[in-house]
Every structure is written in structure tokens, then in C-alpha cells.
Amino acid sequence: MALDSNSYDVPVARTVADLRAEIAEWRKAGLRVGLVPTMGALHAGHISLVDLALQHVDRVVVSIFVNPTQFAAHEDFGAYPRVEDADATALSGHGHLIFAPNADEMYPQGFSTTITVAGVSEPLEGSFRPTHFAGVATVVSKLLLQTLPDVAVFGEKDYQQLMVIQRMVSDLNIPVTIIPAPTRREADGLALSSRNAYLNPEQRAIAAKLNVIVRETAARAAQGEDIATVTKEGERRIIEAGFDSVDYLSIRHTSSLAAFETGRVTAPARILVAAKIGKTRLIDNMPV
Ligand code: AMP
């Protein structure tokens, strides 16, 4: 087994063959396996996913792959933080194997398949990042087939992504249990994100206001106020707080992410937001 151990605390597999060889050993020993897909630059939110997986399985694979196909040409693929040594240190005592393939291993010459999930992929993030969820669905289906885990954990931080993956796994009968994990936040409520590293101190202070406004908007909708009125007011407050633009602030049915035709919250709902400070785009969501 050509595991790349170097100075790492957690061994790293670079190829699908090495990943599968290690997992085969675990399976021989009767162990259950979990997968936590990530793009690296790990923070406490990612580690909480690994720890949640460990409540269900004996061994956890953490994939680290900045997936080019889920970024549009104008997005931050090149700038996205890549800090594998720090990630390996952060996983010490949590994960058992890092799977860190390069792009050629994931997308060899001639790669031609794309998975698209209609419906739930289309609104919100889908309308602002039209190719994003096809990139996500394709890479996650590959990771699930490469690893064949018993469970895979995804954060509610990327709520629409979680809904897309659940739909895909159900539609394609992929034999894995998807476990949602709650969003981990800073003390001021800002959702942890690898992209928070892009924020300067002034922007960081502005960013903290997003979760407060979203929570207050959700509370008003939950009390029966008109959805369009409270979300419009919320968007105005986000701009007043110092954000440069709001892609969406929207209240949707919990799993389909369909809009409420009635204009009021009449069933379990989720509020979702995407807003930009300078070049940094932040997303957040919470139950209504
Ligand atoms: P990423 O590396 O951003 O692709 O995220 C990898 C996984 O970690 C996804 O399932 C995310 O939803 C999850 N995640 C990201 N941020 C958080 C957070 N603050 N709390 C919990 N999970 C998170």
C-alpha cells in the first residue's frame, strides 16, 4: 500500500486504488466506514462532521479535493485555500484516512459523465451558480462510489447542497445513509467557513451581522408576517449593515426548497441567504 504518510498525522491516499485497498482492510476486520467530503482548509465545522460520523462508524475517510467542476470560470477556484499539512494536523485524533486525489485522478483524460439533479438544484444557488450543483453531484457520486461508505456526513451550512445529495442518493439507490450535521458558528454567530479567511477585519465585523438579520427575518415570518415583506426588509438591512449585494434572502419549504405560494409560512420552512462583501460571497441558512 503506497500510503503517503510523510510527516502527516493521518495517512493520505492519493489514488482510488490506495483508498480502496485501505478500506478493504477495514472491511476484512468487520469495521463500518464513514465518509466526510470536504474541499480542505478544515475548521471546527468540518471536524464536527468527522466526530458525528464517528458516532455511527469505526473508521472515517475525509476527502480533500478542491473540485474544479463546481466553480464557474469567474469564481475563486484559484484563490481557494489549500493547506493540506494543517488539515492533516487538524484531523489528528479524529479522522483515519485522508483521500486527497489530484484532478487527473478524479477526471482522467476522456472523462465524460455529469450528474444533474433537477428541481431542488435549480432555485437559489442554482440560479446564481448554474453549473455548481452538477459539479457537486458528479464529484460526490464519484466519492461515494470510490469509498462505498456506510454513512456520509454533510453540513446543513450548505443546506441546498444537502438537499441535492439526499435527492441524488435516493434517486440513484446509492446504498449510503446521509447524515446532516448542524452548522458550527463563531461566538458572534457567523457560520464557520473556509471563505471567512478572505475577510479583512472590517469585513469580518460586517459579516457577523448576517446571521442576526437572517434570524430576525425568520422569526417575523414564523409569527405569520408576509414572506415577501419580511425578506425585502431583511435584504435592505443586509445592505445597510455593509454588504455590497444580496443574491437572495428567501424562505422556502424545508426539503423541496419550493416557494410558499400563499405568501405566508404554512409548513416547515427554511430561510436561506447569499450575500457578498467585496469579492467574498457568504451563504447561511436556518430553520424558520
Ligand atoms: P466544504 O469544505 O466547504 O466543501 O465543506 C465540506 C463539508 O463541511 C460540507 O458538508 C459543508 O456543509 C460542511 N461545513 C462547512 N462549514 C460548516 C460549518 N460551519 N458547520 C458545519 N458543517 C460545515
Side-chain angles (χ1 to χ4, degrees):
M1 146 104 11
L3 283 185
D4 174 358
S5 48
N6 300 344
S7 55
Y8 292 146
D9 297 299
V10 180
V12 181
R14 305 266 171 209
T15 64
V16 176
D18 283 350
L19 169 74
R20 287 189 165 152
E22 181 69 10
I23 291 171
E25 294 296 320
W26 296 345
R27 292 296 189 190
K28 247 188 264 168
L31 301 175
R32 280 166 56 80
V33 177
L35 172 67
V36 177
T38 82
M39 299 204 300
L42 301 182
H43 50 63
H46 296 115
I47 304 300
S48 76
L49 269 50
V50 179
D51 291 342
L52 181 56
L54 277 172
Q55 293 177 18
H56 298 266
V57 298
D58 308 291
R59 294 285 182 273
V60 178
V61 176
V62 178
S63 62
I64 297 179
F65 181 60
V66 185
N67 175 35
T69 69
Q70 70 190 66
F71 291 81
H74 63 278
E75 292 180 351
D76 59 342
F77 176 71
Y80 201 86
R82 290 160 172 87
V83 290
E84 202 183 279
D85 285 8
D87 289 343
T89 305
L91 284 170
S92 185
H94 300 271
H96 299 92
L97 181 67
I98 293 171
F99 176 49
N102 64 24
D104 288 339
E105 180 71 7
M106 286 303 256
Y107 303 114
Q109 190 77 38
F111 188 89
S112 308
T113 302
T114 301
I115 303 225
T116 57
V117 180
V120 71
S121 283
E122 291 164 14
L124 307 171
E125 286 299 285
S127 65
F128 286 89
R129 307 181 72 191
T131 57
H132 174 67
F133 284 125
V136 169
T138 304
V139 80
V140 170
S141 60
K142 281 179 67 77
L143 290 165
L144 290 171
L145 292 168
Q146 289 162 343
T147 308
L148 296 174
D150 299 288
V151 309
V153 182
F154 290 85
E156 290 178 346
K157 164 72 175 24
D158 299 276
Y159 188 79
Q160 189 173 7
Q161 168 176 283
L162 171 63
M163 296 303 111
V164 169
I165 303 292
Q166 282 179 331
R167 184 79 251 166
M168 178 186 80
V169 161
S170 163
D171 287 354
L172 298 182
N173 305 98
I174 301 178
V176 62
T177 301
I178 301 298
I179 301 179
T183 301
R184 292 287 300 264
R185 296 176 182 278
E186 304 278 9
D188 61 12
L190 175 65
L192 298 183
S193 166
S194 308
R195 290 191 168 98
N196 293 350
Y198 298 151
L199 301 171
N200 66 34
E202 189 194 334
Q203 294 173 326
R204 173 64 186 77
I206 293 167
K209 297 177 188 163
L210 185 65
N211 77 92
V212 178
I213 297 168
V214 170
R215 189 168 293 108
E216 288 170 3
T217 303
R220 286 178 61 181
Q223 282 159 14
E225 285 194 56
D226 178 64
I227 291 174
T229 308
V230 297
T231 51
K232 217 168 151 211
E233 164 87 4
E235 284 186 27
R236 189 182 56 71
R237 289 182 62 202
I238 292 168
I239 297 296
E240 271 173 18
F243 278 80
D244 292 295
S245 60
V246 181
D247 280 357
Y248 57 82
L249 173 65
S250 191
I251 294 175
R252 299 282 172 138
H253 282 272
T254 309
S255 357
S256 66
L257 299 183
F260 280 90
E261 303 294 346
T262 54
R264 306 206 186 259
V265 171
T266 49
R270 197 98 189 167
I271 186 166
L272 304 99
V273 69
K276 278 191 201 153
I277 313 180
K279 284 186 184 160
T280 305
R281 186 172 182 277
L282 299 180
I283 60 170
D284 200 350
N285 71 87
M286 49 192 79
V288 171

